[in-house]
């Protein structure tokens, strides 16, 4: 039973977290490029809020992954800082995304 749990933990830390980290990083870059291409200030603000969500996800899962990789006290403290910053960015992005999505739908109607 102990080997199965260890294998499951290793597969999560070696496959799932890096995949989420890479997807969030590439989506962050995508939204930043789309932000530069757009001319509409409202759409730019909406894309920036989506980029903040992706950045928060990236930082959050990067902090978890670094702790699981090193498992030291220092990586725990740094991981906690990354978790807090990731949650902060994610919540900020969600709030502004909702706001600008509503404004964008009002503007289009």
């Amino acid at each position: 039973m102990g080997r199965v749990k260890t294998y499951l933990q290793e597969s999560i830390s070696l496959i799932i977290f890096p995949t989420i980290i890479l997807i969030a990083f590439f989506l962050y870059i995508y939204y930043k490029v789309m932000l530069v291409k757009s001319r509409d200030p409202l759409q730019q603000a909406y894309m920036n809020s989506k980029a903040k969500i992706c950045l928060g996800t990236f930082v959050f899962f990067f902090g978890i992954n670094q702790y699981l990789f090193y498992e030291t006290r220092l990586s725990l403290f740094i991981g906690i800082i990354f978790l807090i910053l990731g949650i902060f960015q994610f919540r900020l992005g969600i709030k502004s995304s909702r706001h600008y999505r509503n404004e964008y739908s009002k503007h289009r109607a």
Side-chain angles (χ1 to χ4, degrees), residues 4 12 17-18 22 30-32 43 47-48 51-52 59 61 66 68 71 73 77 82 84 87 91 106 108:
V4 173
I12 288 174
F17 286 145
L22 285 174
Y30 170 77
Y31 284 123
K32 284 297 186 176
Q43 189 175 11
M47 290 293 170
N48 195 28
K52 284 181 184 181
V59 171
F61 283 105
Q66 288 305 304
L68 292 177
E71 292 183 358
R73 187 175 287 183
F77 293 135
F82 276 27
I84 292 169
I87 290 170
R91 287 194 61 210
K106 288 177 188 175
R108 290 287 177 194

Side-chain angles (χ1 to χ4, degrees), residues 66-77:
Q66 288 305 304
Y67 174 67
L68 292 177
F69 187 71
Y70 292 112
E71 292 183 358
T72 63
R73 187 175 287 183
L74 179 63
S75 67
L76 174 66
F77 293 135

Side-chain angles (χ1 to χ4, degrees), residues 30-49:
Y30 170 77
Y31 284 123
K32 284 297 186 176
V33 168
M34 293 305 290
L35 183 129
V36 172
K37 286 185 175 183
S38 176
R39 299 284 182 213
D40 184 22
L42 192 57
Q43 189 175 11
Q44 285 179 343
Y46 182 66
M47 290 293 170
N48 195 28
S49 65

Side-chain angles (χ1 to χ4, degrees), residues 49 52-53 88-98:
S49 65
K52 284 181 184 181
I53 292 171
F88 180 71
Q89 279 291 332
F90 186 81
R91 287 194 61 210
L92 207 75
I94 289 289
K95 284 183 180 180
S96 61
S97 175
R98 287 180 185 159

